[in-house]
Amino acid sequence: MTRPAIAANGLRKSYGDKTVLAGIDLSVPEGTVFSLLGPNGAGKTTTVKILSTLVTADGGQARIAGHDLAADPQAVRAAIGVTGQFSAVDGLITGEENMLLMADLHHLSRRDGRRVTAELLERFGLADAAGRPASTYSGGMKRRLDIAMTLVGGPRVIFLDEPTTGLDPRSRHDMWQIVRELVQGGVTVFLTTQYLEEADQLADRIAVLDDGRIAAEGTAEQLKRLVPGGHVRLRFTDPAAYHDAVSALPAAVRNDASLALQVPSDGSQRALSAVLGRLDRAGVEADEVTVHTPDLDDVFFALTGTDGQARPHGGAHPAQPEEAVR
């Protein structure tokens, strides 16, 4: 069994009388993407700061890449890379100079520093712009340079805190491809993002953080099954077949004008098989069958409040199916 690259238990953090993290547990397997979602102020950035040794937790334990966060923070720092919400790129010097500066900070020899710099600039499509001041780079180029700088030390775990904020759609998709390539190379990525599609596209597992607590955790598909709204839509061209289907599926919502039925479903294969089985037993065949499941926007609003703000302390959350709970 793959060991966790990140394992945290009972992490707590408060600032004055404001509880930011109220005892969260996390487990992220090596070579995967884990995404932490939540409204502003939910504690996402604080979680990243704690796990990357930038802030000390008030309680709880954590191990990063096999190293105890409290007992051996230096070993943790040597194993991780961090790309924050705001770029660490120095616009007054060139892209290559930014990279070489990071190589110096990682105590690489001059030869190794130049080799790693050249390799990463080429890998991230920045070789042609290496001699230009970073201030002349586009937003997407600066973000790519930022991640390239993070990789200079060969980290096994990378924390990406809202890495695509402010990027245009093409640059965002370029960043997604970079993340996929990192994971294919064995790197573990801990991602916080405001873009739910980003988490849906990239993450192996997702946790929703609300009011300092993990409201739910699972794959994107598991989380989507937490909220109502999923259904199977059946459309017919033969009115007789439609009316037979109505009799076979009494719980369905009818649309007589379009000869369509909407049957509540959690989107699972078992639920779809149950619907089709009833039709088979009634000798009815639908002309079109489509499965609709809620998206992560629906999950986000259901778990954190429809206004996008964190629930009041102690607010209720929807029940979580066993498969979506750690």
Side-chain angles (χ1 to χ4, degrees), residues 1 16 33 47 52 68 86 136-137 142-143 148 169 207 215 224 233 237 272 326:
M1 184 175 180
V33 179
T47 301
S52 59
D68 187 275
F86 305 103
T136 66
Y137 288 12
K142 287 180 181 176
R143 233 16 181 160
K224 291 171 187 177
R233 186 175 185 271
T237 55
L272 177 60
R326 292 178 307 281

Side-chain angles (χ1 to χ4, degrees), residues 73 129 150-151 167 178 232 249:
T150 300
L151 295 177
L167 296 186
I178 287 171
V232 177
L249 300 166

Side-chain angles (χ1 to χ4, degrees), residues 30-303:
E30 291 180 336
T32 65
V33 179
F34 181 90
S35 183
L36 189 62
L37 303 179
N40 291 333
K44 300 187 302 296
T45 296
T46 297
T47 301
V48 170
K49 287 183 176 180
I50 290 173
L51 296 177
S52 59
T53 76
L54 297 176
V55 170
T56 303
D58 296 335
Q61 301 84 36
R63 296 186 70 83
I64 313 296
H67 305 291
D68 187 275
L69 187 66
D72 201 355
Q74 282 297 108
V76 171
R77 293 184 194 114
I80 67 172
V82 183
T83 298
Q85 295 180 31
F86 305 103
S87 175
V89 172
D90 186 340
L92 298 178
I93 60 178
T94 68
E96 182 180 39
E97 288 168 339
N98 271 281
M99 295 289 292
L100 292 172
L101 178 60
M102 289 301 297
D104 287 343
L105 292 174
H106 283 282
H107 306 294
L108 298 184
S109 68
R110 183 178 181 85
R111 179 178 178 180
D112 286 345
R114 290 197 172 277
R115 176 183 55 79
V116 170
T117 291
E119 290 175 354
L120 288 172
L121 288 173
E122 182 67 32
R123 177 179 176 184
F124 285 88
L126 295 169
D128 291 343
R132 286 167 37 197
S135 59
T136 66
Y137 288 12
S138 67
M141 292 171 68
K142 287 180 181 176
R143 233 16 181 160
R144 296 205 305 272
L145 179 59
D146 214 2
I147 293 185
M149 291 165 61
T150 300
L151 295 177
V152 166
R156 295 157 54 193
V157 178
I158 296 180
F159 294 92
L160 300 180
D161 191 13
E162 300 188 19
T164 63
T165 298
L167 296 186
D168 61 77
R170 182 179 297 277
S171 296
R172 186 171 299 125
H173 279 264
D174 289 344
M175 289 296 299
W176 293 356
Q177 186 56 37
I178 287 171
V179 171
R180 294 185 182 107
E181 290 172 358
L182 290 174
V183 174
Q184 288 172 2
V187 173
T188 303
V189 175
F190 188 104
L191 170 73
T192 74
T193 180
Q194 294 283 9
Y195 299 105
L196 302 184
E197 181 192 7
E198 188 161 272
D200 204 353
Q201 287 283 332
L202 295 176
D204 297 289
R205 290 187 69 80
I206 299 168
V208 180
L209 186 63
D210 178 38
D211 198 24
R213 294 177 171 83
I214 300 295
E217 181 184 342
T219 67
E221 293 307 312
Q222 288 170 349
L223 292 180
K224 291 171 187 177
R225 294 176 194 152
L226 289 176
V227 298
H231 63 271
V232 177
R233 186 175 185 271
L234 307 167
R235 192 180 64 80
F236 301 83
T237 55
D238 179 4
Y242 170 69
H243 288 293
D244 288 343
V246 169
S247 299
L249 300 166
V253 177
R254 299 171 53 167
N255 187 328
D256 295 341
S258 61
L259 300 182
L261 296 178
Q262 186 170 301
V263 185
S265 168
D266 64 3
S268 67
Q269 180 179 335
R270 182 171 55 185
L272 177 60
S273 296
V275 172
L276 297 181
R278 287 194 172 202
L279 292 181
D280 283 341
R281 289 190 292 274
V284 181
E285 183 173 338
D287 295 282
E288 181 180 300
V289 179
T290 53
V291 179
H292 297 261
T293 58
D295 59 21
L296 283 183
D297 290 65
D298 299 316
V299 174
F300 184 89
F301 290 132
L303 295 178

